[in-house]
Amino acid sequence: MWLPTLLRKRESAIPFIPKDFAYLPNDKYLLYDSAWRGLDALIPELIQKFNIPTNKCLEFGVEFGFSTTVFANYFKDVVGVDIFTGDSHAGLHDDDYKDMIDKVKPWPNIKLIKADYKDYIKNNNEKFDLIHVDIIHNYKETFECGLWAAEHSKMAIFHDTKSFKGVKHAVQDIATKTGKTFHNYQYNNGLGILV
Ligand SMILES: C[S@@+](CC[C@H](N)C(=O)[O-])C[C@H]1O[C@@H](n2cnc3c(N)ncnc32)[C@H](O)[C@@H]1O
């Protein structure tokens, strides 16, 4: 039997039930019709509950900047990595890297990098307080990018654990491999939390 299938025999996610929903005012982030909408309300509690420093945040999967600009409210420096041409789940589009650089100008603590996560993580040993993984929602890519994220951060979070089985399975397998604990928030398409 394939190893990941064996590893995830035991469902290990602990439900994450927020005590509070601290929604950010709409003018504090780039507002558009993103599946991420609503998750902004969890970030302060995640930082506090898991005692996460707020210096360095890295995001894989910026798209039009919703989650990136949310993180910029809480972290001193935010790096956003994306190929900026979309993918088969989020939708393919022309390269909008330069447009996105203009759009995030009101948040000077954001640095955008146009790169595939595979190239960004190669020989990269930099550590972050929080890493958010929200790229193409396949098992393989989420596992590869997410394992690096879990090993290079105090907390790694993954969007779409509810709407994409491959994402949830990848997060479960990363938890097993790294010995980290998997908390899962089941609304807003699901947010996996590894600490
Ligand atoms: C679901 S969207 C991100 C949504 C965003 N976090 C938000 O708040 O709305 C996924 C993004 O991942 C990017 N992406 C897909 N595969 C990637 C890869 N291999 N490396 C880097 N970025 C990738 C796509 O270009 C797309 O912008």
Side-chain angles (χ1 to χ4, degrees):
M1 204 185 295
W2 196 41
L3 187 61
T5 314
L6 283 171
L7 289 175
R8 65 172 170 269
K9 262 196 167 164
R10 250 177 336 138
E11 167 73 56
S12 59
I14 299 168
F16 178 70
I17 300 161
K19 289 200 180 80
D20 196 16
F21 288 89
Y23 291 98
L24 272 172
N26 289 351
D27 62 347
K28 295 285 185 192
Y29 54 91
L30 275 174
L31 183 60
Y32 67 96
D33 188 19
S34 165
W36 220 81
R37 195 165 186 180
L39 291 173
D40 53 298
L42 307 188
I43 304 305
E45 189 168 331
L46 287 177
I47 289 170
Q48 198 189 25
K49 181 179 166 92
F50 298 111
N51 208 11
I52 304 301
T54 53
N55 294 311
K56 290 175 72 179
C57 172
L58 171 64
E59 173 169 81
F60 292 107
V62 172
E63 201 178 35
F64 308 126
F66 191 110
S67 47
T68 326
T69 50
V70 166
F71 293 126
N73 286 270
Y74 298 107
F75 291 85
K76 195 166 157 265
D77 293 310
V78 177
V79 176
V81 174
D82 200 302
I83 46 180
F84 291 102
T85 49
D87 60 56
S88 56
H89 294 142
L92 297 165
H93 52 81
D94 290 342
D95 185 340
D96 65 353
Y97 176 54
K98 287 195 178 129
D99 284 355
M100 285 312 303
I101 287 184
D102 280 344
K103 285 192 177 148
V104 302
K105 272 193 179 141
W107 295 270
N109 55 335
I110 294 178
K111 179 182 173 196
L112 296 183
I113 297 176
K114 181 174 161 59
D116 192 301
Y117 78 84
K118 289 173 203 276
D119 299 319
Y120 184 82
I121 66 177
K122 212 179 281 170
N123 304 319
N124 187 342
N125 237 339
E126 193 172 356
K127 297 274 165 62
F128 294 84
D129 299 318
L130 173 78
I131 302 181
H132 175 224
V133 178
D134 193 11
I135 52 169
I136 191 164
H137 297 313
N138 293 333
Y139 176 91
K140 184 178 173 292
E141 285 85 351
T142 305
F143 183 83
E144 185 178 49
C145 181
L147 180 60
W148 185 90
E151 288 171 341
H152 291 80
S153 67
K154 297 197 165 53
M155 177 164 75
I157 60 178
F158 300 75
H159 191 217
D160 284 296
T161 50
K162 176 95 175 162
S163 40
F164 286 86
K165 274 199 178 125
V167 172
K168 190 167 188 199
H169 291 161
V171 181
Q172 276 168 355
D173 290 347
I174 295 164
T176 306
K177 198 171 162 79
T178 58
K180 295 208 169 198
T181 306
F182 177 14
H183 302 259
N184 194 48
Y185 179 67
Q186 65 160 325
Y187 302 100
N188 305 100
N189 297 301
L191 190 74
I193 301 143
L194 285 184
V195 278

